[in-house]
Amino acid sequence: MMRLIAAGAVALGLCAAAEAQERRALVGGTLIDGNGGEPIADSVILVEDDRITAVGTVDTLPVPEGYEVISTEAMTVMPGLWEMHAHLMLNGHADYAHWDVAYADRLEDEIMPASAVQLLLAGVTTARDLGAPLEPSLSVRDRIDAGELPGPRLFVSGPFIQEEPYPGTEAFRWGVDGVREARRHVRTLAEAGVDVIKMVDQDQMTLEESRAVVEEAHAHGLRVVGHSHRPAEIIRGLEIGVDNFEHTGLTTAPEYPDHVMDALVARTARGRVSGGPLYWTPTIEGLWNYERTRDNPERLDTDCWHRGLELDTIADIAQSIEHPDRLTYMQLTPLRRRTLERKFQQLREAGVLMLIGTDSGIPMKFHCQSTWNEIDVWTRELGVPVMDTIRAATYWPSVFMGVEDEWGRIQPGQYADIIAVDGDVLTYPNLLQDVDFVMKGGTVYVEDGDVVESALPASLRME
């Protein structure tokens, strides 16, 4: 009798759990699944709770009873975007010296949650946050994972590691003085639970110090992201085994010099022998479009970057970018702009594997706009095929971060991180500036082009 009672209780529990499960079917759209093959017309995607359970077409995959049907007719459906170079501690303010002091105590509860929700509602369901104080970084990431905050799945680096922090940045830039300290900093970050190590100015460290950073990171299973602003920084990074370079760099120089290109080709030729492809995140759009923004700053007036920020924060950011032409940060940019296409093409020719990332959060680069702007420049102005660009914003980032079996594609077993737009993205990629549907982990945050405000906490709503 006791066994029967127990079995009945289990059965009732299972029934209750089954009733509580969220079952949705996305039906009718053209699916780009992230694998690089032909798009799938009239697609059907079945989602149960936070996972994709089946993918097919209206002819091959009937929608079972009990599923909420969401029409994606006339839409392009694809994996949620990745933003591989974001700064959640920044929101577009143009005066870092002021921002770093005035907002240090507001990062965890205001600034970084606002950045996160802005990225999510723009269709970015995963982001890599490169450089911020350790505790706020971990707190925001973990609260998102726990469902307490809406935002992308986050991979965080915590503080930069470099030879010497710039004055006033010690909270999120850790200096290195000797091999022992280099290893200690990496161990501290690894044991705290960061997902990646970011080092900058590696050419200004001793070879032993910079190598210790990479060796210690790899010993803890962490990949290393490094800057590429100077030829020596790139050469050193290649020598010590940096996994992913950031930016195009080399300021106003017209191109990468021959010895750098030779070193890059030598590295890409080794492939798996050196631990896999050499990844590069060029973060090109902020420089590419600066003059357009300076001469026609209308896009800065959007209120999408206001979400989650206090009124005084919004006013402070707005006044800091009121005169884009006067920003010291951007004075060299017009001279750098003319070098970008050549450097970008050199990187492609060298065989590096490019990733979509934007430096989101730097002056005038708002989280609600930055990722689609990068995609637009790659495809419309730099000639990268749209499918290749989409894979650089979905599949390849998941491979780099080692989660390609969990998300980054639309296939059974993966997390239901799915976006959709009205129209044909392969022909008109700038449609991604207005993502009409955003689902992350089975929860719908944008539907029919409107934010589902009820899916957000009150502090992040705009009602």
Side-chain angles (χ1 to χ4, degrees), residues 238-239 241 262-278:
L238 292 171
E239 184 177 6
D262 290 343
L264 289 177
V265 171
R267 168 60 180 84
T268 58
R270 292 196 300 270
R272 290 186 182 275
V273 176
S274 293
L278 176 62

Side-chain angles (χ1 to χ4, degrees), residues 29-33 38-41 43 45 55-56 75-78 410:
T30 295
L31 171 62
I32 299 171
D33 63 12
E38 290 292 320
I40 300 168
S43 66
I45 305 167
V55 177
M75 303 180 83
T76 300
V77 184
M78 54 187 283
I410 295 179

